[in-house]
Amino acid sequence: MPLTLPDWAPRAPLEPLRLSWLDEAGVALAVLRLDLVDPLVSGNKWFKLAPWLSRAAEAGAEGVMSLGGAHSNHLHALAAAGRRFGFATLGLLRGDPQDTPTVRDLQALGMELQWLGYGGYRRRHEPDFWVSWQRRYPRFQPVPEGGGGLPGAQGCRQLVGWVREQLPALGWDDYHGLWVAAGTGTTLAGLVLGEGGRHPVLGALAVPRDHGVQEQVRALLAEAGVADAGYSLLDACRGGFARIDAELAGFLLQAEREGGVPLEPVYTAKALMALRDEVRAGRIAAGSRLVLLHTGGLQGRRALQAELERLTNYTDRAVDVQG
Ligand SMILES: *Cc1c(COP(=O)(O)O)cnc(C)c1O
């Protein structure tokens, strides 16, 4: 049966986040809670996926296949969307078979899994990579890793409208900037498109500078036919992608307790911590009103919970967790 597009108009609340270091600096922060979009399909990944699903429906595909690691938020959102809206999903996974909370969810959500090994996964950029998978799974539409590309960015444009619509409920007539964690920069590029220069967008980099986010955003904006402007990037990765240190772990647990908003250490806590550092350094003026996009990813935190707790007891360790 060909895939049909869900008749679904998700919403995410815009909520004030009160934290002592914000109050002390006279900075107001509101969070667009994409983690609350849906119990199954959470975070920014749905918005990057939706335009690809439209393409799959137009192409008459019966299912969708994509790539990711054993903790992938992207594969999780894809599997969840497949379950929720009734289409088949195939996940091509990095490395050797692993048993993680994410992998167990993917299986429970009905995703078929193929483990590519590390070498096999590295071949994903080769031009004929999808040709062989399409030969094996002719009914499945391929979606790039993470739901990237201009369609993925276009799917995130609407989020700016969601912020604007909800400002009156906060008693705000405007805001000074939009903050978002950046991995590939696809979501960031979508926000820049949605803002159209009205407010600056700050991308808190969850990956090192040499991962090419700047080039990627520039290319997406060029493809969309708009100027490479309206945003800036800040290093928020604290030594590497998915690298977790004791200070970050302590900050995350404290912010959760104080602000009542769940975070995860790979993207959202690092973005919030980078904001804290900017506030502390006096680079955010008193009276500023900022909006932070909560990009979800909480499912990936389960595998890290013990490490977060351990790190807050022993302060001299840092660990790497591959996403
Ligand atoms: C994937 C992801 C991001 C990064 O999104 P990009 O569009 O790749 O920059 C940010 N936060 C979370 C929780 C994610 O899962």
Side-chain angles (χ1 to χ4, degrees), residues 44-45 48 73 181-187 264 267-268 295-297:
N44 62 334
K45 296 299 188 285
K48 296 165 63 171
N73 292 327
T184 61
T186 310
T187 307
E264 51 67 51
Y267 295 101
T268 51
T295 42

Side-chain angles (χ1 to χ4, degrees), residues 199-266:
H199 305 98
V201 185
L202 189 294
L205 288 168
V207 296
R209 283 253 178 219
D210 64 6
H211 274 217
V213 173
Q214 174 85 63
E215 292 73 13
Q216 194 121 309
V217 174
R218 191 178 292 145
L220 287 169
L221 296 177
E223 198 183 339
V226 306
D228 183 40
Y231 70 98
S232 52
L233 299 174
L234 186 68
D235 183 357
C237 81
R238 306 183 62 80
F241 177 66
R243 197 173 167 78
I244 306 172
D245 57 87
E247 201 192 341
L248 174 75
F251 173 84
L252 182 155
L253 296 175
Q254 166 64 20
E256 286 188 333
R257 267 195 301 272
E258 198 191 346
V261 61
L263 300 167
E264 51 67 51
V266 180

Side-chain angles (χ1 to χ4, degrees), residues 142-168:
V143 169
E145 197 179 20
L150 188 56
Q154 297 282 17
C156 297
R157 284 183 80 127
Q158 58 181 313
L159 300 174
V160 176
W162 292 14
V163 170
R164 193 179 310 127
E165 277 163 30
Q166 297 186 74
L167 292 176

Side-chain angles (χ1 to χ4, degrees), residues 33-309:
R33 299 284 305 272
L34 298 187
D35 58 315
L36 297 179
V37 158
D38 182 84
L40 270 185
V41 190
S42 161
N44 62 334
K45 296 299 188 285
W46 163 257
F47 303 92
K48 296 165 63 171
L49 262 174
W52 291 104
L53 296 181
S54 307
R55 290 195 172 189
E58 280 161 25
E62 293 179 18
V64 173
M65 55 182 163
S66 194
L67 298 141
H71 302 280
S72 170
N73 292 327
H74 165 66
L75 287 184
H76 198 274
L78 178 59
R83 162 57 58 90
R84 203 172 182 298
F85 304 120
F87 58 86
T89 55
L90 168 65
L92 306 178
L93 282 108
R94 181 200 297 123
D96 301 321
Q98 275 186 66
D99 185 28
T100 67
T102 305
V103 167
R104 264 170 261 146
D105 277 3
L106 298 181
Q107 287 164 333
L109 290 165
M111 178 175 261
E112 182 180 343
L113 305 185
Q114 294 276 358
W115 294 87
L116 306 193
Y118 291 96
Y121 198 81
R122 269 194 297 277
R123 283 199 288 277
R124 68 195 181 280
H125 301 303
E126 290 175 10
D128 63 349
F129 176 84
W130 285 114
V131 176
S132 60
W133 285 106
Q134 278 186 294
R135 206 172 292 135
R136 281 179 68 179
Y137 292 89
R139 303 174 298 116
F140 284 68
Q141 169 90 7
V143 169
E145 197 179 20
L150 188 56
Q154 297 282 17
C156 297
R157 284 183 80 127
Q158 58 181 313
L159 300 174
V160 176
W162 292 14
V163 170
R164 193 179 310 127
E165 277 163 30
Q166 297 186 74
L167 292 176
L170 286 183
W172 292 13
D173 55 358
D174 202 358
Y175 55 102
H176 297 96
L178 194 50
W179 278 60
V180 66
T184 61
T186 310
T187 307
L188 168 73
L191 297 178
V192 173
L193 293 175
E195 284 287 2
R198 280 182 291 268
H199 305 98
V201 185
L202 189 294
L205 288 168
V207 296
R209 283 253 178 219
D210 64 6
H211 274 217
V213 173
Q214 174 85 63
E215 292 73 13
Q216 194 121 309
V217 174
R218 191 178 292 145
L220 287 169
L221 296 177
E223 198 183 339
V226 306
D228 183 40
Y231 70 98
S232 52
L233 299 174
L234 186 68
D235 183 357
C237 81
R238 306 183 62 80
F241 177 66
R243 197 173 167 78
I244 306 172
D245 57 87
E247 201 192 341
L248 174 75
F251 173 84
L252 182 155
L253 296 175
Q254 166 64 20
E256 286 188 333
R257 267 195 301 272
E258 198 191 346
V261 61
L263 300 167
E264 51 67 51
V266 180
Y267 295 101
T268 51
K270 284 187 176 178
L272 189 62
M273 199 164 175
L275 174 60
R276 199 254 342 237
D277 292 345
E278 289 297 285
V279 167
R280 273 195 177 165
R283 285 191 285 269
I284 311 265
S288 294
R289 285 188 296 236
L290 300 174
V291 174
L292 173 70
L293 204 69
H294 192 313
T295 42
L298 297 171
Q299 69 82 24
R301 176 184 165 158
R302 293 170 296 180
L304 306 173
Q305 183 62 28
E307 199 53 39
L308 286 174
E309 286 167 9

